[in-house]
Amino acid sequence: MYLSMGGAIGDTFDSEDNSELFSRLNQQLTEANIDSMSNSTKEIASESDLSLILNKQIELLESKGISPPELLDRIFTSSTVANLPSYYYINYLESLKVYDYNSSFESLYRYFDYMVSNNSKYFYHFALILKANLHQYYNQHELAVNSIQEAISIARENKDNSTLTYIISWLFNYIKDKPELVGDTANPNQLLEFLIKKTKSVSLSLYSLSYNFKTFQVLNHGGGIRTYLNDLTKATYISIYDEFQITSFIKTMEMGVIVWNRIGNNILSEVYNDIAIEFTNNSNDLISLKIRLNFLKFLQGDIESSYNELQELKKSVQHDYSLFNSIQIRSLIMLIKINLFKGKFVQAKEIVVTLLDNDLQDIELIHEFIQLQVEIEIYLENYSRALKLIEKHQHRSNTYLMIRLKLLKCAIFNKSNNHIKSFSLIIQTIQLSHKCGYANLLMEALIIFINILNHLGYFQDVLDIFENIMPALISLNSQHLTSQAYFGLAHAYFNNYKKTQQEALFNNVLKFLNKSIKGFNSCNDLINVRSCSEFEIEIAKYSQDHELLVHARENLDRINTLIG
């Protein structure tokens, strides 16, 4: 009937193009009484044709979330279709879509029972992969790895290279966020070598994915900037020519977002994110990309605005636990930072305790959370506790995290007036950040280095360094980092002014202090605004400027009231 009314099995089954056809089919089937047709001996179509239609509907469900039209839904319930395994796979997807996990599990079980009974070991591999995904979803990581190891063994026994490549891609994707699970299971570098070698002849999607993995590995483990940009370029080129899978191109754009953010080109990072959003037609993927874009803005210092936007986004995913949880965890991490800026250290620590009960999946979130734990102890002046936390996580093989922890250690030494101890450490950190191309961390390290020089009395060196780095610093578009730099610059000019008494230097002190205060106010960082007001009081007392002193004290009283 489908063929006689103008349909063709090879059609793309685009829902809009075929809406008229489906409508006519549905009307005719209704008039002919579908129930009596199902019970008759007449077949609507051959099993092979129905199998093709089913497989196309599976593709639409998986890629776009489009449910079968009413006509096909009625055909699917006929006795002929019920004998096809794909029928149970569609039921599995449909049940999963409405969170009916019991029906979903039952349909999936029957699907694989059909497949295995037909000696389809290829599908048995994927049964194990889905089982591993299920364990991963419920944070049963060891069981997930065990299922994948079994799948690898079966694929090797059957010499099924394409499936083996897919399984190893899954494994690498899993362990890149959970490096502690590796143990004797696999060496990430060996997995990468295997993937790049094998995927070229298996699938362009997996080939592109392999270079994405390599980009991520080099980026996080201290490789040079040229190496990971080269790998990203290869991944992008391959994904552009993958005409069958737009998802590989989107994944490459997501990797570009991470890379350019690390390099410090936030504008280009947002461009890559916008491209990914433009090509995404899956609503869940679209929300995930918006979540990532929001978190990037948070990392750039736009904290309260990012937090408020996430709260709005959360309202649209109330019925999707995975996306809701993703937003909730990022919201809590942002809330920790907001509370630290406002001087609410106890509240920040309470949120940390809440997050400790969650098994964070995203490596970005894990590292941000570790850093925030250390920062809280620094704000509370528990320096020994902060150093213990740093030592606890220093063993991690991630170079990016290691640099961030070293920067926090230097900050602790500076607050403890142990500037000589942090001098050699900050030099090493500057060199390593530069080598890896981490512009944000490089600027953070240089600002700490400048503070050390200020305390050691090398004021002219501070001014010379600032003259060289300010254009690059401003280009990062990080208001909080720039405000920290202006604060350090105001200190250097003030110390020079005390030596020379030049009025131009004094004017620069006030100019850069004012820029710093405006920046910290914009970020709602009351703690640093208070430090600026205290420094303003010091300046006013030294210069015997009564009007400036009154102004500074009023500001300090207002900030202390807000902090409470």
Side-chain angles (χ1 to χ4, degrees), residues 245-260:
Q245 285 290 343
I246 190 66
T247 52
S248 61
F249 176 72
I250 293 169
K251 290 293 179 187
T252 304
M253 293 301 99
E254 288 185 67
M255 182 54 63
V257 172
I258 297 170
V259 169
W260 290 112

Side-chain angles (χ1 to χ4, degrees), residues 210 221 344 391 483 503 524:
S210 299
H221 294 83
K344 298 177 180 178
E391 292 304 319
S483 300
E503 189 176 346
N524 290 309

Side-chain angles (χ1 to χ4, degrees), residues 350-368:
E350 286 173 355
I351 298 171
V352 166
V353 173
T354 302
L355 281 173
L356 284 171
D357 294 332
N358 282 271
D359 186 14
L360 301 181
Q361 301 290 338
D362 192 307
I363 198 90
E364 255 183 347
L365 295 182
I366 293 168
H367 292 171
E368 195 64 30

Side-chain angles (χ1 to χ4, degrees), residues 86-357:
S86 301
Y87 169 73
Y88 295 105
Y89 194 79
I90 280 189
N91 283 347
Y92 152 70
L93 291 173
E94 285 282 80
S95 300
L96 199 64
K97 191 176 177 183
V98 295
Y99 312 107
D100 184 354
Y101 296 120
N102 289 328
S103 298
S104 182
F105 178 81
E106 176 65 25
S107 297
L108 191 62
Y109 177 82
R110 294 191 68 178
Y111 170 68
F112 281 113
D113 186 47
Y114 266 106
M115 288 302 184
V116 175
S117 65
N118 291 328
N119 295 318
S120 181
K121 292 186 178 180
Y122 174 82
F123 287 93
Y124 184 53
H125 302 160
F126 282 91
L128 289 167
I129 294 169
L130 287 170
K131 183 170 178 280
N133 274 320
L134 191 68
H135 287 308
Q136 179 193 12
Y137 188 82
Y138 290 105
N139 299 325
Q140 297 170 317
H141 303 298
E142 290 184 8
L143 292 172
V145 172
N146 290 341
S147 293
I148 284 299
Q149 284 180 313
E150 187 181 350
I152 289 172
S153 298
I154 292 169
R156 281 177 173 161
E157 285 174 16
N158 289 280
K159 296 180 180 178
D160 187 350
N161 281 331
S162 59
T163 309
L164 178 62
T165 307
Y166 176 83
I167 294 169
I168 292 178
S169 298
W170 187 98
L171 178 61
F172 187 88
N173 189 51
Y174 190 40
I175 65 175
K176 74 180 175 63
D177 285 340
K178 293 282 180 187
E180 68 274 11
L181 294 173
V182 177
D184 298 325
T185 305
N187 181 310
N189 292 325
Q190 289 177 352
L191 284 179
L192 275 175
E193 289 174 11
F194 173 86
L195 284 175
I196 291 171
K197 182 180 177 182
K198 295 289 185 182
T199 51
K200 184 177 182 180
S201 59
V202 173
S203 158
L204 283 178
S205 297
L206 289 176
Y207 193 33
S208 172
L209 186 66
S210 299
Y211 274 110
N212 278 331
F213 286 155
K214 190 180 178 188
T215 303
F216 187 86
Q217 188 78 354
V218 176
L219 180 69
N220 282 310
H221 294 83
I225 184 171
R226 286 186 179 183
T227 306
Y228 59 75
L229 281 180
N230 186 35
D231 291 327
L232 178 65
T233 304
K234 289 178 181 176
T236 305
Y237 182 81
I238 296 164
S239 67
I240 287 171
Y241 283 92
D242 183 10
E243 57 184 316
F244 300 106
Q245 285 290 343
I246 190 66
T247 52
S248 61
F249 176 72
I250 293 169
K251 290 293 179 187
T252 304
M253 293 301 99
E254 288 185 67
M255 182 54 63
V257 172
I258 297 170
V259 169
W260 290 112
N261 179 253
R262 291 279 175 88
I263 291 173
N265 194 324
N266 297 321
I267 294 173
L268 199 49
S269 182
E270 288 184 20
V271 167
Y272 269 70
N273 200 82
D274 289 341
I275 293 171
I277 288 173
E278 182 183 344
F279 282 89
T280 301
N281 50 24
N282 184 293
S283 58
N284 284 358
D285 289 344
L286 186 63
I287 291 171
S288 296
L289 288 166
K290 287 181 178 178
I291 292 169
R292 174 178 289 283
L293 181 61
N294 224 277
F295 200 69
L296 283 176
K297 289 179 180 177
F298 159 73
L299 294 175
Q300 292 165 22
D302 191 3
I303 297 171
E304 295 219 12
S305 172
S306 301
Y307 177 79
N308 293 332
E309 285 177 23
L310 272 189
Q311 299 316 297
E312 286 298 312
L313 198 57
K314 193 193 293 184
K315 295 175 184 176
S316 65
V317 295
Q318 294 287 338
H319 301 294
D320 190 317
Y321 170 77
S322 180
L323 285 173
F324 182 86
N325 193 49
S326 178
I327 293 175
Q328 182 68 4
I329 288 173
R330 282 167 173 79
S331 297
L332 289 173
I333 285 177
M334 291 180 185
L335 202 55
I336 292 173
K337 198 79 171 179
I338 290 169
N339 282 325
L340 287 179
F341 280 178
K342 292 183 176 179
K344 298 177 180 178
F345 308 139
V346 175
Q347 291 92 324
K349 200 158 186 176
E350 286 173 355
I351 298 171
V352 166
V353 173
T354 302
L355 281 173
L356 284 171
D357 294 332

